[in-house]
Amino acid sequence: MQNFNFIRPDNLEEACDLLVRYKDRAKLITGGTDLIIALREEKLPNCLEIIIDISNLKELNYIKEEGKYIRIGSGVRHAEIANNKLIKKYAPVLSMASSVVGSPQIRNKGTIAGNIITASPAADTIPALIVLDSILVIRKGKEKRKMFLKDVFEGPNKVNLKSDEIVCEIYFEKLPLGAKSNFIKLARRNAVDKSRMNIAVVAQQNKNKEITNIRISVGSLTPIPERFKDAEDLLLGKLPTQDLIQKAGKKIAEEMINKSGYRWSTEYKEPVVKSLIDRVLNGIVEVE
Amino acid sequence: MAANRKIELNIKVNNKDYKLFIASNKRLLDVLRDDLGLTGVKEGCAIGECGACTVIMNGKNVCSCMILAGQAEGAEIITIEGLEGPKGELHPLQEAFMETGAVQCGFCTPGMILSSLVLLKNNPSPTEEEIKEAISGNFCRCTGYKQIIEAVQLAAERMRGGGM
Ligand code: FES
Ligand code: FES
């Protein structure tokens, strides 16, 4: 286990000040899963001096409704998000994703921001937050900035945040009335296993059953989590048929190969992603 | 590399208050086992996957290998040792685990029982699916889970009957 001093600031301001002062010599801890593993394997840089524990800060622990937005403090645990009434009502896709993260023990400790910051392509909540077009509020000292979640990822396990910045909040617009959402996770073993592939979808149809709103994100397919615009464009404005849904699945498989190249896993992922798209869309869309 | 400083840690474990001075890089698991001698808390994988190190912290089951000791400041912890009744009697879950053969090598048992206890506190009549879900973060390499599920059902029945 690496050596460090442990500091538990009383409020967010103190935490921000510490980070600005220590920069690379400090690390934040919330849920801690990935950080503690790295500490044990002595993988953090030698200059590490302090661990700043923000897991108990009340200022980062809230879920609230504000006009058309839902705002979630970065320290909220997966278990709370999974069971929260506002999330179930306005962003069920996030509730579904949060309820299958890791194991009950991990959900009781792990936070929404932790899942983002480690940027594992397999993190369950990320595709859900991506289809919600989530925005992050990031703080450095007293300054705040905002950024779309999709822009924070630089590559697998890499985010473009500075060492003195703290993610304070994640917010998004409530899903419109009549929009449906769905989340499916495919893992080798349900609990714990880092999700192999997961897919989040939001879809809405008008009176004539034409698709008026469609957002699709698939985890573990591309180096950077994102929406699959080509497939979305294919579906938008159309009357969904089984044939069209299959074409959308094909588009996504193509996009995956374009972005990640043809790999050893492609042979497995290609048919799986097609059938997942089929299942996830058929779960919420009224098909002709 | 920074030196480890000692930190003060105030925790309540199994209803007893402690004030400890410990190295800042200890995990809650280390404090419970090494400083307090509560060896019913097991270390299996040490990466948050097996659930052998499960304890109840402020009413929720968590992996004590994934918590730095300092993060438990002010917390209330229950370990398997805390389930003993005032006269040393076993908890209905412990009784049921023994009766159904849910304990084989026993390594997973403390964590398994604590996760089950959290379940039964929130949901006195769980379905089989709910039991499976509740213990999905606790791995057992011996029993195949069937006896464990039976044990939880049996304990639930007895606890509903006012047994505890
Ligand atoms: S030892 Fe903590 S989860 Fe395995
Ligand atoms: S009884 Fe041996 S691991 Fe469960």
Side-chain angles (χ1 to χ4, degrees):
Chain A
M1 191 74 151
Q2 267 174 266
N3 290 339
F4 52 83
N5 286 326
F6 181 89
I7 302 184
R8 182 174 240 206
D10 292 327
N11 52 53
L12 183 58
E13 178 148 1
E14 210 181 295
C16 291
D17 290 347
L18 279 168
L19 259 195
V20 168
R21 208 162 89 218
Y22 282 88
K23 296 203 167 61
D24 290 336
R25 291 174 294 139
K27 275 276 175 200
L28 293 174
I29 187 165
T30 53
T33 315
D34 294 275
L35 185 69
I36 294 178
I37 294 173
L39 284 169
R40 281 197 84 231
E41 293 174 350
E42 316 218 330
K43 281 211 178 121
L44 293 178
N46 251 337
C47 64
L48 177 73
E49 278 180 40
I50 61 167
I51 298 281
I52 306 170
D53 177 23
I54 54 170
S55 60
N56 254 28
L57 291 184
K58 293 217 173 60
E59 292 152 281
L60 300 179
N61 196 0
Y62 57 85
I63 299 177
K64 64 186 180 198
E65 176 179 14
E66 219 178 75
K68 57 180 179 173
Y69 296 112
I70 297 292
R71 298 182 179 274
I72 306 178
S74 61
V76 180
R77 319 260 180 231
H78 299 302
E80 288 162 49
I81 295 177
N83 295 318
N84 182 272
K85 283 204 190 86
L86 284 174
I87 305 291
K88 279 189 177 159
K89 181 162 175 202
Y90 294 116
V93 66
L94 180 58
S95 160
M96 288 183 243
S98 303
S99 72
V100 298
V101 173
S103 63
Q105 287 93 322
I106 302 279
R107 291 195 289 278
N108 281 336
K109 209 79 203 27
T111 63
I112 185 160
N115 222 330
I116 293 171
I117 287 160
T118 51
S120 157
D124 286 312
T125 53
I126 291 178
L129 289 167
I130 290 279
V131 294
L132 291 165
D133 292 332
S134 302
I135 296 169
L136 303 180
V137 179
I138 297 157
R139 195 167 146 172
K140 168 182 170 170
K142 290 188 173 43
E143 294 157 37
K144 272 189 190 173
R145 69 179 177 119
K146 287 183 203 166
M147 179 178 205
F148 273 108
L149 172 66
K150 67 175 172 51
D151 297 329
V152 88
F153 302 110
E154 285 191 322
N157 307 97
K158 262 189 85 184
V159 285
N160 78 50
L161 290 172
K162 307 256 162 41
S163 59
D164 51 5
E165 292 184 311
I166 299 185
V167 175
C168 295
E169 184 181 270
I170 292 106
Y171 73 96
F172 47 79
E173 277 187 35
K174 297 173 188 168
L175 286 177
L177 227 67
K180 294 191 173 149
S181 61
N182 204 359
F183 180 89
I184 295 184
K185 166 177 180 167
L186 189 81
R188 265 198 253 154
R189 188 176 69 219
N190 220 352
V192 185
D193 202 357
K194 303 270 159 65
S195 186
R196 290 293 132 167
M197 211 186 283
N198 48 32
I199 172 161
V201 170
V202 171
Q204 189 163 13
Q205 291 172 285
N206 62 16
K207 281 201 300 290
N208 307 326
K209 308 257 172 73
E210 287 150 2
I211 297 183
T212 54
N213 185 351
I214 179 84
R215 311 180 206 162
I216 305 174
S217 179
V218 192
S220 304
L221 273 200
T222 48
I224 293 177
E226 59 199 324
R227 284 174 52 184
F228 283 74
K229 295 276 186 189
D230 291 353
E232 291 178 3
D233 287 345
L234 185 81
L235 293 163
L236 196 64
K238 306 260 173 57
L239 217 54
T241 58
Q242 292 304 351
D243 185 50
L244 188 69
I245 288 178
Q246 279 188 8
K247 286 201 177 111
K250 232 174 120 199
K251 262 272 173 314
I252 288 176
E254 276 168 33
E255 267 186 276
M256 159 182 91
I257 294 167
N258 283 342
K259 284 181 181 132
S260 318
Y262 203 91
R263 306 187 188 186
W264 62 270
S265 56
T266 309
E267 209 133 323
Y268 162 74
K269 283 188 173 174
E270 202 187 330
V272 173
V273 77
K274 284 182 191 158
S275 82
L276 277 183
I277 295 287
D278 192 81
R279 253 171 69 199
V280 84
L281 282 175
N282 272 300
I284 51 171
V285 168
E286 283 185 56
V287 180
E288 268 300 284
Chain B
M1 191 179 275
N4 270 328
R5 226 167 271 161
K6 292 238 167 185
I7 53 168
E8 186 186 301
L9 178 64
N10 299 287
I11 42 173
K12 188 178 229 170
V13 182
N14 299 334
N15 275 320
K16 217 171 131 195
D17 289 309
Y18 294 89
K19 185 188 273 299
L20 305 167
F21 290 91
I22 52 151
S24 53
N25 69 350
K26 281 197 175 186
R27 300 162 300 170
L28 177 59
L29 171 69
D30 306 315
V31 170
L32 294 172
R33 284 183 62 89
D34 304 342
D35 295 83
L36 301 182
L38 299 168
T39 51
V41 188
K42 303 298 180 200
E43 175 162 16
C45 65
I47 56 169
E49 296 200 346
C50 73
C53 65
T54 299
V55 299
I56 303 179
M57 179 165 161
N58 299 329
K60 295 184 172 134
N61 49 333
V62 294
C63 296
S64 61
C65 72
M66 288 288 109
I67 297 174
L68 290 178
Q71 296 188 280
E73 172 67 25
E76 280 189 34
I77 312 281
I78 306 284
T79 71
I80 192 71
E81 288 86 350
L83 263 57
E84 193 183 300
K87 295 191 206 87
E89 61 279 29
L90 292 178
H91 188 276
L93 269 164
Q94 292 172 306
E95 297 273 7
F97 266 64
M98 286 179 4
E99 285 170 38
T100 59
V103 183
Q104 290 184 16
C105 82
F107 197 79
C108 70
T109 312
M112 208 54 102
I113 290 185
L114 292 169
S115 288
S116 307
L117 181 62
V118 171
L119 168 73
L120 296 185
K121 287 238 156 98
N122 299 320
N123 179 0
S125 324
T127 62
E128 184 171 335
E129 268 320 297
E130 287 167 335
I131 296 173
K132 282 188 190 161
E133 166 56 31
I135 58 168
S136 62
N138 293 83
F139 295 175
C140 176
R141 302 190 58 169
C142 307
T143 65
Y145 300 97
K146 192 172 156 279
Q147 299 92 320
I148 295 177
I149 293 163
E150 276 167 29
V152 179
Q153 285 165 333
L154 181 64
E157 208 179 292
R158 290 185 183 158
M159 285 163 76
R160 281 198 305 271
M164 142 118 211

